[in-house]
Amino acid sequence: MCLPTQIETSGQISVLRLSNLSSLDHNSKISCTAENIVGEKESSLLLDILCTFSIALSYTFPGNPEPQLQWFLDDKAVTEGLFIMTMIHDITEREYHGCLQLDSPTHLNNGRYKLSAKNKFGSDEREVKAHFMRKPWDGEELNVVGFFRKSICFVMPQVYVVVGIAAVAFTGFLLMLVILKFGGNSKFGIKGKTPDLFLHWWFPSFGDGRLLKGTLLFLSVFPLLPVVQHIKRHNIVLKRELGEGAFGKVFLAECYNLSPDQEKILVAVKTLKEASENARKDFHREAELLTNLQHEHIVTFYGVCVESDPLIMVFEYMKHGDLNKFLRAHGPDAVLMSEGQTTRPVELTQSQMLHIAQQIASGMVYLASQHFVHRDLATRNCLVGENLLVKIGDFGMSRDVYSTDYYRVGGHTMLPIRWMPPESIMYRKFTTESDVWSLGVVLWEIFTYGKQPWYQLSNNEVIECITQGRVLQRPRTCPKEVYDLMLGCWQREPHMRLNIKEIHALLLNLAKASPVYLDILG
Ligand code: AMP
């Protein structure tokens, strides 16, 4: 799973703190393996995620021609706009699925919602009560942080109403589903049908007793659910293989109908080779996570294609591939590394290195602002596009190709120890400060044209070195200011390390002081 996690260790007790969990994580298995010289022991538990609920209002419509829909709140027509809108997310031959989506609703949005559907042969309507939030002056405040989006959903396949209430009392959760059936009153015209509505409220589960007051007093509070875009398979035309990561092969492809301005654009398509239940869960979680991460120095994620196997993720195509290969290809050993190429490519200049470093730091400032701990920042996980544009492009998926960069512990865990600070190696503690340490190592990689950190040492020697407090040496081409920055990232005490914003500001100033000449890429 790619969740922000933190491990806190005190004496023999370690606490794993998971954040940004969602109801999708319910029943996920968390395992902990401990090993010493006499053996290994594993213990696991299933996550019991208590969560709030959403409301769904559905209707059926066998009407023809397609009816006009209008929502009413307490009998007043709802004016749709940016914060309240009807969304249709699926249209099949005979049904429409959709919802009334409310962004950040307040107590002003509480009330009786009625959906009315009309065509020239008749009309029908159904309603549901929704209570999103207490009036602010009603006493107890809700301790809700962040941005919320709620929806009242509709589908149109049947002719009855289902009202469901899920509630949790003390120990877990209690799900109540009340089904009300409305008689189907379809009146068939000669040429068409009147619309019959199917209203359907559902509340998957919620875990806070506080939230249920009275019989139909609903509090629908759940964090913003990222809307992962679905891309049709026939819109993706594969062109050639780009590489292979832990999840599967990566292809260059053309994707049609993705951008309103262009008929087709080049994309990188990542396939999921293993379609086990867990791998699928990880895939969907990853897609949600990537949908939420949007920044000029984070690779753009366009969406998924899950119509059939293999599952696919679609990303922006970064012409020059991963940064580690790029650095090696533009360093003193480029001819040595290239297969068959005899002409020496242009070496990266110092200012270009600073330009690269500054962009990665900018992406990391953004990730830290999202409380996202990367845990695997390295040049192999960054991508290079045109005009030396660099983006953080991978969230821990390239472990196959660069397997020597990882150290296998226990069964499956692979750790990028050469990029890890002492507290991560010794206690598996990963934080924004441990990402800062890794950023220092990324700077070292950049200024050595992509050398492997501690390339002269074995994994066990690396662990020894880092935990004893040794740090990487200043690369030959590295200015003193930049090495001082690296040393600021490699302070043993996490709180003594430079702050990510400071690092970015320093790099930006250094990069500005030595302008980049971009003609290297031709
Ligand atoms: P990954 O699965 O992310 O480790 O990707 C494996 C390899 O595919 C990388 O080392 C890159 O060379 C290539 N690759 C991945 N994503 C992209 C992309 N968005 N654009 C271009 N090449 C990519």
Side-chain angles (χ1 to χ4, degrees):
M1 78 170 98
C2 221
L3 287 168
T5 57
Q6 232 183 350
I7 297 181
E8 288 159 17
T9 305
S10 120
Q12 297 209 317
I13 298 175
S14 285
V15 177
L16 172 69
R17 219 174 274 287
L18 302 169
S19 39
N20 285 2
L21 291 164
S22 73
S23 52
L24 287 177
D25 300 299
H26 185 62
N27 269 339
S28 298
K29 191 173 166 191
I30 299 279
S31 305
C32 173
T33 313
E35 59 174 314
N36 65 13
I37 45 168
V38 289
E40 184 182 306
K41 202 143 203 182
E42 186 178 300
S43 172
S44 58
L45 56 80
L46 290 181
L47 286 180
D48 183 12
I49 308 283
L50 305 178
C51 56
T52 54
F53 57 92
S54 61
I55 302 173
L57 166 59
S58 318
Y59 67 88
T60 181
F61 150 62
N64 186 22
E66 184 189 335
Q68 300 274 308
L69 300 180
Q70 174 66 54
W71 293 87
F72 294 87
L73 172 56
D74 294 333
D75 297 323
K76 264 179 68 190
V78 170
T79 314
E80 297 195 22
L82 267 182
F83 295 98
I84 176 161
M85 62 179 104
T86 304
M87 307 268 287
I88 295 187
H89 33 76
D90 204 10
I91 305 175
T92 62
E93 257 174 46
R94 299 180 47 221
E95 324 174 336
Y96 287 73
H97 297 254
C99 62
L100 179 68
Q101 182 171 295
L102 298 104
D103 261 357
S104 315
T106 68
H107 63 281
L108 297 173
N109 300 97
N110 296 345
R112 204 165 27 84
Y113 281 84
K114 185 166 75 186
L115 174 60
S116 156
K118 262 194 198 129
N119 69 8
K120 60 180 169 178
F121 298 102
S123 66
D124 198 10
E125 55 189 43
R126 293 287 182 268
E127 61 181 48
V128 61
K129 257 187 180 173
H131 188 104
F132 297 105
M133 194 181 266
R134 231 171 276 132
K135 282 185 191 150
W137 53 86
D138 267 4
E140 195 190 350
E141 283 277 314
L142 259 183
N143 183 19
V144 172
V145 190
F147 178 55
F148 295 93
R149 181 189 287 173
K150 292 152 213 187
S151 339
I152 298 178
C153 295
F154 59 84
V155 281
M156 311 200 223
Q158 295 174 47
V159 195
Y160 50 83
V161 173
V162 183
V163 178
I165 301 171
V168 169
F170 302 103
T171 47
F173 68 79
L174 164 73
L175 180 69
M176 273 167 51
L177 224 82
V178 182
I179 301 175
L180 299 175
K181 227 179 177 182
F182 281 76
N185 56 345
S186 339
K187 299 167 204 115
F188 291 90
I190 296 168
K191 289 192 194 130
K193 294 178 195 169
T194 56
D196 286 319
L197 289 180
F198 164 59
L199 296 183
H200 172 192
W201 294 257
W202 60 275
F203 308 90
S205 70
F206 64 103
D208 189 338
R210 236 175 5 135
L211 300 181
L212 188 72
K213 281 245 172 96
T215 40
L216 265 177
L217 184 64
F218 305 132
L219 264 171
S220 167
V221 182
F222 57 88
L224 171 68
L225 290 177
V227 183
V228 177
Q229 195 182 336
H230 286 251
I231 296 167
K232 295 257 184 283
R233 195 163 295 256
H234 67 252
N235 279 330
I236 301 171
V237 180
L238 299 187
K239 290 181 80 77
R240 69 178 160 88
E241 197 178 312
L242 290 171
E244 183 153 13
F247 276 70
K249 288 203 160 110
V250 183
F251 296 92
L252 172 67
E254 283 171 343
C255 189
Y256 287 78
N257 304 321
L258 197 56
S259 143
D261 325 318
Q262 286 163 284
E263 189 204 358
K264 58 177 180 182
I265 58 171
L266 284 178
V267 291
V269 157
K270 288 191 181 180
T271 54
L272 178 73
K273 62 180 172 198
E274 180 210 351
S276 72
E277 210 34 56
N278 275 347
R280 278 169 186 273
K281 258 191 181 171
D282 279 353
F283 177 92
H284 287 292
R285 227 189 317 257
E286 196 86 37
E288 278 187 6
L289 180 101
L290 291 164
T291 305
N292 263 342
L293 296 178
Q294 290 173 20
H295 184 262
E296 57 189 319
H297 295 296
I298 304 288
V299 73
T300 307
F301 173 63
Y302 291 126
V304 294
C305 175
V306 289
E307 279 165 36
S308 56
D309 280 336
L311 304 184
I312 282 175
M313 282 190 191
V314 181
F315 291 87
E316 93 182 272
Y317 171 58
M318 300 289 283
K319 190 176 168 188
H320 297 285
D322 80 68
L323 176 60
N324 189 266
K325 271 194 219 125
F326 180 83
L327 290 167
R328 289 174 185 216
H330 292 91
D333 298 330
V335 179
L336 208 80
M337 303 292 301
S338 68
E339 290 132 20
Q341 193 179 327
T342 46
T343 50
R344 178 176 285 277
V346 192
E347 263 180 44
L348 282 173
T349 64
Q350 241 180 51
S351 57
Q352 285 165 335
M353 293 175 175
L354 286 168
H355 184 59
I356 293 172
Q358 175 277 116
Q359 297 177 74
I360 299 172
S362 164
M364 290 309 288
V365 170
Y366 169 75
L367 289 185
S369 76
Q370 301 298 301
H371 308 286
F372 180 87
V373 179
H374 191 297
R375 302 161 63 119
D376 195 10
L377 183 65
T379 55
R380 65 181 167 274
N381 286 330
C382 298
L383 292 161
V384 186
E386 254 163 322
N387 290 332
L388 209 56
L389 175 65
V390 177
K391 301 194 179 192
I392 299 169
D394 205 304
F395 299 85
M397 292 193 254
S398 57
R399 289 170 195 191
D400 274 7
V401 180
Y402 290 96
S403 55
T404 54
D405 285 347
Y406 295 89
Y407 177 57
R408 190 180 286 279
V409 283
H412 295 292
T413 318
M414 303 273 276
L415 291 175
I417 46 159
R418 291 162 197 266
W419 283 260
M420 280 162 58
E423 77 274 9
S424 305
I425 292 179
M426 293 188 293
Y427 308 117
R428 307 283 189 270
K429 186 173 178 191
F430 294 91
T431 56
T432 298
E433 289 76 31
S434 62
D435 275 353
V436 163
W437 179 290
S438 311
L439 181 60
V441 182
V442 165
L443 293 180
W444 186 92
E445 286 186 90
I446 295 170
F447 282 84
T448 55
Y449 297 95
K451 285 215 167 80
Q452 189 190 46
W454 306 108
Y455 55 86
Q456 68 283 34
L457 303 182
S458 71
N459 285 336
N460 285 332
E461 286 166 339
V462 171
I463 292 175
E464 192 84 6
C465 261
I466 296 175
T467 52
Q468 281 176 3
R470 275 186 58 192
V471 292
L472 291 158
Q473 282 181 352
R474 176 174 159 183
R476 255 188 321 112
T477 54
C478 179
K480 182 176 177 310
E481 294 95 319
V482 178
Y483 190 60
D484 285 345
L485 234 165
M486 293 181 200
L487 295 176
C489 296
W490 298 333
Q491 291 295 308
R492 191 176 178 87
E493 293 295 326
H495 68 272
M496 296 294 288
R497 288 175 205 152
L498 286 174
N499 167 286
I500 183 66
K501 280 191 181 155
E502 286 173 87
I503 300 171
H504 178 238
L506 282 165
L507 286 169
L508 196 60
N509 282 339
L510 288 171
K512 274 188 193 154
S514 65
V516 181
Y517 299 100
L518 297 171
D519 56 347
I520 180 179
L521 301 174

